[in-house]
Amino acid sequence: EAQVTQNPRYLITVTGKKLTVTCSQNMNHEYMSWYRQDPGLGLRQIYYSMNVEVTDKGDVPEGYKVSRKEKRNFPLILESPSPNQTSLYFCASSLFGSYEQYFGPGTRLTVT
Amino acid sequence: QKEVEQNSGPLSVPEGAIASLNCTYSDRGSQSFFWYRQYSGKSPELIMSIYSNGDKEDGRFTAQLNKASQYVSLLIRDSQPSDSATYLCAVIGSGGYQKVTFGIGTKLQVIP
């Protein structure tokens, strides 16, 4: 089954404790992206990657890191999480040039 | 900041009616436009993509694009209660970057 998976689905953590949210896709997609979704603000792009070792900032990259060492994986790293990073996070992937994105199930992160 | 604007709604239509969802964008050079549907508590799923001026139909859905007016719309014919969801407009901007900007989404309620 073609899918985008994210782990964990739910996470409660404390300020400053480094965490990684994993994202994996099995569709051989070149393009992968991370979004956060907040009430009243909608979906905002954090980072995207057009292929292995090629990443670029979206609209809200501050406080986040990404890496793309393998085509199927695109982890999101919060090195020192803060309460304002409490949000619902989505990973998505698509074929390069299409941008018709498939979304993962989401990760609900709470930083206290 | 390149923007994508949508009325947040809710837009209420009776079952069987046509629902019309609208989106405007600020980046005149944008080339790719998408409509996603998001049910409450779920991840977005792609409904339609449109790249050139005019109409594109897929079943009960029609996407309309007018680049001169910087306007994209989604029509849902014969609306069903199962169409009740939030509809997100997404745009890929110009400038050689592959950033995706989403609108805030319009909540649609189809009344039986």
Side-chain angles (χ1 to χ4, degrees):
Chain A
E1 179 190 357
Q3 60 182 349
V4 179
T5 57
Q6 293 179 229
N7 283 293
R9 294 287 313 280
Y10 302 91
L11 179 60
I12 300 174
T13 190
V14 296
T15 299
K17 185 177 181 181
K18 181 178 178 179
L19 66 93
T20 299
V21 184
T22 65
C23 173
S24 183
Q25 50 92 7
N26 63 0
M27 295 169 279
N28 203 34
H29 285 166
E30 296 87 2
Y31 186 90
M32 296 186 75
S33 183
W34 276 103
Y35 299 89
R36 60 178 291 174
Q37 188 171 38
D38 302 287
L41 296 176
L43 269 171
R44 292 178 293 166
Q45 192 173 42
I46 303 171
Y47 271 95
Y48 62 93
S49 169
M50 290 187 281
N51 215 323
V52 175
E53 304 290 4
V54 182
T55 62
D56 208 344
K57 296 177 181 178
D59 288 324
V60 288
E62 297 79 18
Y64 304 94
K65 284 179 58 176
V66 293
S67 68
R68 186 96 181 270
K69 294 185 173 16
E70 302 170 282
K71 195 172 186 180
R72 63 183 295 130
N73 296 323
F74 189 44
L76 179 70
I77 303 157
L78 286 72
E79 296 217 325
S80 184
S82 62
N84 65 11
Q85 293 178 297
T86 292
S87 187
L88 178 58
Y89 291 86
F90 289 104
C91 179
S93 73
S94 73
L95 290 171
F96 180 75
S98 155
Y99 308 110
E100 296 178 346
Q101 296 180 84
Y102 291 79
F103 280 77
T107 295
R108 186 165 292 281
L109 172 65
T110 301
V111 183
T112 61
Chain B
Q1 180 77 4
K2 296 171 182 175
E3 294 183 349
V4 176
E5 301 210 0
Q6 295 181 257
N7 188 320
S8 61
L11 172 66
S12 294
V13 300
E15 184 175 354
I18 296 176
S20 178
L21 304 159
N22 304 315
C23 172
T24 59
Y25 58 95
S26 63
D27 181 359
R28 184 169 287 279
S30 298
Q31 296 296 322
S32 305
F33 307 86
F34 308 88
W35 283 99
Y36 290 84
R37 177 176 62 199
Q38 186 175 25
Y39 291 112
S40 181
K42 301 294 186 183
S43 52
E45 55 179 333
L46 180 73
I47 300 175
M48 298 276 288
S49 59
I50 187 166
Y51 304 98
S52 54
N53 279 331
D55 295 359
K56 179 181 178 183
E57 187 174 319
D58 184 0
R60 296 186 296 111
F61 299 96
T62 299
Q64 299 175 316
L65 175 61
N66 183 326
K67 289 185 179 179
S69 300
Q70 294 174 240
Y71 177 92
V72 58
S73 65
L74 180 71
L75 301 178
I76 306 174
R77 289 182 301 281
D78 188 24
S79 296
Q80 301 298 308
S82 59
D83 294 326
S84 297
T86 297
Y87 289 80
L88 307 171
C89 174
V91 176
I92 294 196
S94 60
Y97 301 100
Q98 311 307 325
K99 276 189 194 180
V100 181
T101 302
F102 279 81
I104 197 170
T106 298
K107 185 172 185 178
L108 173 67
Q109 296 176 338
V110 180
I111 312 299

